Amino acid sequence: KQEVTQIPAALSVPEGENLVLNCSFTDSAIYNLQWFRQDPGKGLTSLLLIQSSQREQTSGRLNASLDKSSGRSTLYIAASQPGDSATYLCAVRSRSNTGKLIFGQGTTLQVKP
Amino acid sequence: NAGVTQTPKFQVLKTGQSMTLQCAQDMNHEYMSWYRQDPGMGLRLIHYSVGAGITDQGEVPNGYNVSRSTTEDFPLRLLSAAPSQTSVYFCASSYGTGESSPLHFGNGTRLTVT
């Protein structure tokens, strides 16, 4: 059974710092991994999707990497800003059942001015 | 495109009442799904559908029914509401279940059962 873990649960950093959010999964036979952002009281916004054959994806100040063999993905945020404050979730679509996305519990990020 | 639209935004029910949460998408997505989000539990899959006429259970299907008569709509029915169903419900869709199909979410329905 696929399990997805995100550590730490919360993170507070000063503005301008580069930071890394972690996502680990137990079954390496994945189809893809997706990173989302959720603002308080809102829905989830897709940030990046990494296919199983890819090693990384980039969008602006965000870079997501994938290492299937170790069951890990990282989301790198460069030059963090207060507007980056949100909860970041990762989700995995497994090859064993592509109909199900399994989510981690998220990392809540606070960027202090 | 409006994307994924959920109605209502908020709902209060009494124990035992039934209701339907609506979800519609205008992106011609084959895959649609329902999640509930609870503090400390994260997002859990309730039901999903890979196309019109096809539905399947997720992690927490008890107490909920779904049907998919059209590509656009995927309603979630609560048969007899219980306080344990107090949660925020999200509908999500994607073009398919392939490697390059990102999931798109609606803005959620906040449900309280008293």
Side-chain angles (χ1 to χ4, degrees), chain A residues 11-75:
Chain A
L11 184 61
S12 181
V13 300
E15 181 177 4
E17 195 161 294
N18 301 326
L19 59 101
V20 173
L21 305 181
N22 297 299
C23 172
S24 61
F25 46 94
T26 55
D27 182 358
S28 62
I30 65 169
Y31 238 33
N32 59 38
L33 185 146
Q34 197 168 352
W35 282 93
F36 295 88
R37 170 187 172 135
Q38 185 176 28
D39 293 290
K42 303 291 187 182
L44 280 72
T45 300
S46 178
L47 297 173
L48 291 164
L49 179 145
I50 311 177
Q51 300 176 37
S52 64
S53 58
Q54 298 174 326
R55 295 300 299 266
E56 65 178 348
Q57 283 285 336
T58 298
S59 176
R61 293 182 295 108
L62 305 179
N63 175 279
S65 68
L66 175 64
D67 183 345
K68 282 191 305 178
S69 61
S70 66
R72 297 173 70 175
S73 176
T74 61
L75 179 67

Side-chain angles (χ1 to χ4, degrees), chain A residues 1 31-32 34 36 38 41-44 46 49 51-53 89 93 95 97-105, chain B residues 31 35 37 40-43 45 48 50 57-59 90 94 96-103 105-107 110:
Chain A
K1 178 186 173 187
Y31 238 33
N32 59 38
Q34 197 168 352
F36 295 88
Q38 185 176 28
K42 303 291 187 182
L44 280 72
S46 178
L49 179 145
Q51 300 176 37
S52 64
S53 58
L89 299 104
R93 195 189 289 274
R95 289 189 178 274
N97 188 332
T98 59
K100 296 182 178 180
L101 252 73
I102 305 300
F103 280 82
Q105 294 209 12
Chain B
Y31 176 86
Y35 287 85
Q37 187 174 38
M41 303 293 290
L43 277 149
L45 181 64
Y48 65 97
V50 296
Q57 295 182 347
E59 301 169 80
F90 288 101
S94 62
T97 57
E99 285 188 281
S100 61
S101 294
L103 200 60
F105 277 80
N107 286 329
R110 187 174 296 271

Side-chain angles (χ1 to χ4, degrees), chain B residues 79-99:
Chain B
L79 309 172
S80 177
S84 61
Q85 294 178 305
T86 294
S87 186
V88 181
Y89 291 84
F90 288 101
C91 179
S93 72
S94 62
Y95 183 71
T97 57
E99 285 188 281

Side-chain angles (χ1 to χ4, degrees), chain B residues 6-66:
Chain B
Q6 291 185 238
T7 56
K9 286 185 169 50
F10 302 93
Q11 183 71 49
V12 178
L13 291 177
K14 293 188 188 316
T15 298
Q17 288 184 316
S18 63
M19 79 157 294
T20 299
L21 307 185
Q22 302 290 346
C23 176
Q25 51 85 16
D26 60 357
M27 298 175 282
N28 201 31
H29 283 175
E30 290 293 327
Y31 176 86
M32 295 186 75
S33 56
W34 278 101
Y35 287 85
R36 59 178 290 173
Q37 187 174 38
D38 304 288
M41 303 293 290
L43 277 149
R44 293 180 292 170
L45 181 64
I46 304 171
H47 285 286
Y48 65 97
S49 168
V50 296
I54 305 169
T55 63
D56 206 345
Q57 295 182 347
E59 301 169 80
V60 288
N62 292 341
Y64 308 95
N65 271 1
V66 292

